Amino acid sequence: AYDQDNIKWMMNNNAESMLDKIICVSQWQKKTFEKYLFVDPNKLIVLGNPIDHSLYSGYTKRDLNRLIYCSIPFKGLEVLPDLFQEIKFKSKDESNKITLDIYSSFEMYDRKEEDDKYNDVFRQLSNIDGVNIFNSVSMKDLSFKFKSSSLLLAPSTYHETFGRVFVEGMSGGCIPVTVNNGANKEIIEDYGYVIDYATIHNSQCFEKYVDTVCDLVGEPLFNERTRCERNMSKWDYIKLSKRFEEIII
């Protein structure tokens, strides 16, 4: 993102003058580079962020009451205790059918020690019925988890430059519920649910988010899931690699 220290350092040290093209992963990133970093728009090209869509082929039985959070901790982990408990309360889930699987760690950035900052949040979550906290898994295993889950919870407390997790989730028919922050609406389009607030810390946004999840959880949503699975193939790495070749040749 435009406001990350490494990007600001590059631009402050005249990196743009040494580059012929700068490939962005979203229109949102391109616009913010123009607005905040004053990058020449003629140097900016939007490509996207590829996935291996073949990982999502085949049938997997879906648990319609399973929610999943799969993102780095600073993108919304601290919201989950209150959010999940409110979802369970409003949906009258007295038998604990609704579950939340959490895959969240800095380990993917080789900075696992930073997980310690969220120990209190992990502790709160571990004490809530229905919450399951997992270690890092392979992309193949994660694709199976998306295919077997109902909804992707994404509070997005830090703006997404692309939101690859949305593409991964939707490729497996796991419908995202998020807020209008960063490139979320651009990438999700109308294949998921984007609450039209920039932050879930807004009380109205929080309430609408909970209501949306409660309306959707437990529902088959077959047509919606099928649309997600089919349309996310446009982000397959083979298709994007051809576009990348066109850019550099």
Side-chain angles (χ1 to χ4, degrees), residues 122-135:
F122 280 117
R123 194 174 299 112
Q124 288 181 58
L125 288 164
S126 66
N127 289 325
I128 300 173
D129 289 337
V131 172
N132 306 298
I133 301 173
F134 296 89
N135 294 321

Side-chain angles (χ1 to χ4, degrees), residues 98-144:
I98 300 175
T99 60
L100 172 61
D101 287 0
I102 296 174
Y103 298 85
S104 185
S105 175
F106 286 92
E107 187 175 358
M108 63 184 294
Y109 296 113
D110 198 26
R111 290 156 37 199
K112 186 167 175 55
E113 67 280 358
E114 294 188 36
D115 288 354
D116 293 344
K117 299 175 185 176
Y118 294 85
N119 281 343
D120 287 344
V121 181
F122 280 117
R123 194 174 299 112
Q124 288 181 58
L125 288 164
S126 66
N127 289 325
I128 300 173
D129 289 337
V131 172
N132 306 298
I133 301 173
F134 296 89
N135 294 321
S136 298
V137 297
S138 68
M139 199 60 243
K140 182 177 180 180
D141 289 340
L142 193 57
S143 66
F144 172 81

Side-chain angles (χ1 to χ4, degrees), residues 236-249:
D236 186 69
Y237 73 94
I238 294 176
K239 293 181 179 179
L240 264 63
S241 64
K242 292 178 181 178
R243 169 68 176 137
F244 180 70
E245 288 179 359
E246 295 171 0
I247 292 171
I248 62 175
I249 293 176

